[in-house]
Amino acid sequence: MKKFLNWKLVLFSIVFLAAFLRFYQLGSNPPSLTWDEAAWGYNAYSIGIEGKDEFGRFLPLDYLESFGDFKPPVYAYLDVLPIKIFGLNEFAVRFPSALFGVLTVISTYFLVKRIFWKSKLKESYALMSALILAISPWHIMLSRAAFEANVATFFIVLGIWLFLLSMHGKRWILLFSAISFVLSIYSFNTARVVVPIIVLILAFAFRKELLSRKKETFLAIILGIILILPTLQFLLSPQASLRFKEVNIFSDSSIIKTANQEIKNDNNAIWSKLIHNRRVLFAREYFKHYFDNLSPSFLFIRGDGNPKFSTQNVGQMYIWDIIFFTAGAFLIFRRREGNWWIIPTWLIIGIIPAAFARETPHALRIETTLPTFQIITAYGFVQLIGGIKRYKNLIICSLFFLLLINFTYFYHDYLSHYKYDYSGEWQYGYKESLDYVKSVESNYDYIQMTNALGRPYIYYLFYTKTSPQDFRKTAVVHRDAFGFVKVEKFGKYIFPDNYNYSLSQTNKVLYVNTPFNLPKNISILKTFYLLNGQPALVAYTYD
């Protein structure tokens, strides 16, 4: 009984810590919303009012058109209730991501116990995995912004845990596993590739158990097919591959030019056409991009080059993790406890779709691999500690002290410096400029807002809480041949690529622009600054 209470107390403490790290200052750090976050919030707001997305589609299940990136819809639906409760603000928009981040920590604990169900150390593996995930810089940062990948990660962890649980006696839980896997597909684009592969591998590995549960297996398959039908047509459409076509390495013409030039340099020799074949170069490029996501600098030193996913001062994992992750990767193969193979298989599969992109490494695109990195690290830690014979308590305390130093360095940097250093990366300035615009907009016929910071219309809809009906009545929307969507104006707000200053000759116009290359003959009314003191936007009139 005492042992039972002890593990419950430790788990509760880990979950409490995870919740604090994800919810504390959630509305103010990160310092502003990205355009995708604003889109999630406004679409949830619109669905909550009339059951339609921003462009008027009723209860869309296949996608949200948004900017033409055709977002999977789950995050918007999860955000409807928080926005109803907390209002249309930063905290409410990020609430689902933070909540599901905490739930992922809990689910990881139960998943690890189920994976290593035969091991005497399963409790230690599970608690350590949950702790390492709870304080992970990677998972904390992706849980503190409205990243739909974070929600998909939870459903993948839950789906695998429920699947294993159903294989170990609780047969009907297999149906809930199918539901969870399908929800992950409705949550994040990468999951649409990763999850089917994971499900097929699990089905093959546990084929005997599944065949002995014919009724439950059949119903789970039928349920999965029924649930995927609403989005199946879209998944097979050109729009579904739009984002992939935009970022994949196969659209990089420089690789083809390099292949042709190298063949030409060899006087079009047959052997050269084989060696420098563009397919060989693309394969080489793919593997390079794949292993970029496993580079020590990315994992342990600097992290992702995008400040949205890393503070740039620590890796996606801690330096402390290096020894234990390396040892864990070796020992998990050597000891082969329980269903150990799920962890490395999951990690390998999770990177497959991300490696097709030109931009690597990419912490967000491979978030579906979490928490495999943390589980391997925890496994290595428990195994190495278990082999210590002398001064065991002292060594354990020393190791946890070093981990505390690593964590404190990251968290202090995140709380005290991050938002000041990278407010510009989060499109800071839109909200502040809008507060001013709202206070003076009645004095002007039109307001022109720059596109330089990206997608300004969604911020105006979000921060003015514009009625979805009013937006659709007055919006001028342009959809190009590639499927991208641009809102050119609504109401008195105009979002031009190039400013039309001739409009000022017959109308009163307020301009909001970046402080660079401003025209002459203007009257600056107000300047809006980043948190580091640099000017971000300027409001002015044209004389």
Side-chain angles (χ1 to χ4, degrees):
M1 183 67 176
K2 184 177 180 181
K3 183 178 180 181
F4 175 75
L5 292 175
N6 282 343
W7 78 255
K8 287 189 72 173
L9 180 61
V10 173
L11 180 60
F12 175 81
S13 301
I14 291 171
V15 173
F16 179 83
L17 176 63
F20 177 81
L21 296 176
R22 284 153 182 78
F23 280 99
Y24 180 64
Q25 294 186 355
L26 183 64
S28 59
N29 194 10
S32 185
L33 296 176
T34 65
W35 56 69
D36 282 322
E37 289 184 288
W40 287 125
Y42 189 77
N43 275 277
Y45 176 71
S46 179
I47 290 170
I49 291 175
E50 56 178 356
K52 298 178 180 179
D53 71 1
E54 62 178 302
F55 294 117
R57 298 181 74 232
F58 183 72
L59 295 179
L61 295 177
D62 45 3
Y63 63 85
L64 298 174
E65 187 178 19
S66 195
F67 312 118
D69 51 9
F70 300 96
K71 294 176 171 64
V74 161
Y75 196 97
Y77 286 103
L78 293 174
D79 220 1
V80 171
L81 188 58
I83 286 173
K84 287 285 188 183
I85 296 172
F86 303 113
L88 188 56
N89 55 49
E90 292 86 351
F91 179 85
V93 170
R94 293 167 176 166
F95 184 89
S97 184
L99 175 62
F100 279 83
V102 176
L103 293 177
T104 303
V105 173
I106 300 171
S107 299
T108 295
Y109 167 82
F110 290 106
L111 172 63
V112 173
K113 284 189 70 172
R114 184 54 53 183
I115 288 175
F116 300 108
W117 60 290
K118 289 184 177 180
S119 174
K120 294 179 180 180
L121 297 172
K122 63 182 179 182
E123 194 71 58
S124 298
Y125 296 148
L127 288 172
M128 197 64 195
S129 296
L131 174 62
I132 293 176
L133 184 64
I135 64 173
S136 162
W138 195 341
H139 198 246
I140 289 172
M141 294 199 69
L142 295 187
S143 297
R144 291 183 59 86
F147 292 125
E148 67 273 31
N150 206 47
V151 173
T153 295
F154 165 75
F155 285 124
I156 293 172
V157 173
L158 182 66
I160 296 174
W161 173 51
L162 293 176
F163 180 90
L164 294 177
L165 204 59
S166 71
M167 295 299 102
H168 293 155
K170 301 186 178 182
R171 298 186 173 195
W172 287 104
I173 289 181
L174 186 62
L175 275 70
F176 295 98
S177 174
I179 293 171
S180 189
F181 282 132
V182 171
L183 284 173
S184 71
I185 292 173
Y186 277 92
S187 299
F188 186 49
N189 288 325
T190 300
R192 293 169 173 175
V193 177
V194 172
V195 168
I197 299 174
I198 289 177
V199 169
L200 287 174
I201 290 175
L202 288 174
F204 178 78
F206 292 91
R207 58 192 180 278
K208 292 181 181 179
E209 290 84 351
L210 290 171
L211 288 173
S212 70
R213 299 161 169 79
K214 291 185 176 65
K215 183 188 295 184
E216 295 87 349
T217 300
F218 176 76
L219 290 176
I221 293 171
I222 295 301
L223 179 61
I225 292 173
I226 291 172
L227 292 177
I228 209 71
L229 282 177
T231 194
L232 186 60
Q233 183 178 356
F234 169 71
L235 292 177
L236 299 175
S237 70
Q239 288 84 358
S241 60
L242 181 65
R243 182 63 175 163
F244 174 77
K245 291 177 180 177
E246 181 186 5
V247 302
N248 78 89
I249 57 175
F250 303 113
S251 62
D252 186 359
S253 61
S254 66
I255 295 176
I256 298 175
K257 291 179 181 178
T258 299
N260 291 338
Q261 184 61 51
E262 289 178 344
I263 292 172
K264 182 179 179 181
N265 293 342
D266 293 325
N267 297 317
N268 295 315
I270 295 177
W271 60 266
S272 183
K273 291 179 180 180
L274 294 174
I275 295 175
H276 301 302
N277 186 289
R278 62 182 178 180
R279 295 168 185 81
V280 173
L281 295 186
F282 276 124
R284 185 180 69 185
E285 194 73 7
Y286 175 83
F287 284 109
K288 174 186 176 298
H289 284 234
Y290 186 98
F291 288 105
D292 279 348
N293 292 287
L294 296 172
S295 71
S297 176
F298 169 69
L299 292 178
F300 305 111
I301 309 299
R302 295 285 297 176
D304 195 301
N306 187 334
K308 293 187 182 72
F309 313 137
S310 165
T311 63
Q312 309 296 294
N313 291 319
V314 298
Q316 300 305 128
M317 303 167 70
Y318 296 112
I319 292 178
W320 182 91
D321 294 323
I322 294 177
I323 294 174
F324 303 112
F325 178 76
T326 305
F330 171 74
L331 292 171
I332 203 169
F333 276 97
R334 182 178 179 181
R335 296 185 62 83
R336 302 182 183 182
E337 296 184 277
N339 297 310
W340 65 275
W341 56 269
I342 292 175
I343 303 303
T345 302
W346 180 359
L347 191 156
I348 292 167
I349 293 169
I351 301 177
I352 288 174
F356 284 104
R358 290 195 295 269
E359 185 183 2
T360 54
H362 201 289
L364 186 67
R365 290 185 186 132
I366 67 167
E367 202 205 340
T368 49
T369 60
L370 301 188
T372 60
F373 288 94
Q374 290 75 24
I375 295 172
I376 292 171
T377 302
Y379 190 90
F381 178 84
V382 173
Q383 283 292 321
L384 290 182
I385 291 301
I388 297 173
K389 303 300 182 184
R390 301 179 62 186
Y391 309 111
K392 188 170 186 175
N393 290 337
L394 176 62
I395 292 173
I396 291 175
C397 290
S398 299
L399 289 172
F400 273 107
F401 179 71
L402 291 174
L403 178 58
L404 178 63
I405 291 175
N406 269 208
F407 165 74
T408 302
Y409 177 80
F410 157 73
Y411 199 58
H412 167 74
D413 183 42
Y414 184 77
L415 286 184
S416 301
H417 306 295
Y418 176 78
K419 62 183 178 181
Y420 297 99
D421 293 338
Y422 297 110
S423 60
E425 299 290 335
W426 292 88
Q427 287 75 55
Y428 190 86
Y430 272 132
K431 181 179 181 180
E432 293 68 29
S433 67
L434 210 77
D435 288 340
Y436 173 76
V437 167
K438 285 190 293 184
S439 69
V440 300
E441 66 177 350
S442 61
N443 301 328
Y444 298 94
D445 300 313
Y446 294 102
I447 297 161
Q448 291 199 40
M449 175 71 188
T450 180
N451 282 309
L453 301 187
R455 322 291 191 184
Y457 89 89
I458 198 65
Y459 290 94
Y460 276 63
L461 292 176
F462 185 96
Y463 287 116
T464 61
K465 299 180 174 63
T466 300
S467 161
Q469 299 96 325
D470 292 344
F471 166 65
R472 289 193 289 270
K473 286 178 184 177
T474 61
V476 176
V477 182
H478 175 71
R479 293 173 173 85
D480 65 23
F482 300 101
F484 293 106
V485 177
K486 179 183 178 184
V487 174
E488 297 179 347
K489 70 182 297 288
F490 70 86
K492 63 170 62 178
Y493 295 97
I494 304 173
F495 310 101
D497 290 326
N498 298 300
Y499 275 16
N500 178 16
Y501 288 107
S502 63
L503 198 61
S504 295
Q505 296 175 3
T506 54
N507 299 275
K508 297 182 69 176
V509 183
L510 175 66
Y511 298 91
V512 181
N513 202 349
T514 59
F516 311 106
N517 300 318
L518 294 175
K520 297 178 180 179
N521 303 321
I522 64 172
S523 297
I524 294 179
L525 304 176
K526 193 171 181 64
T527 302
F528 309 95
Y529 297 90
L530 299 176
L531 292 177
N532 63 5
Q534 295 296 315
L537 293 168
V538 176
Y540 60 92
T541 57
Y542 185 76
D543 302 328

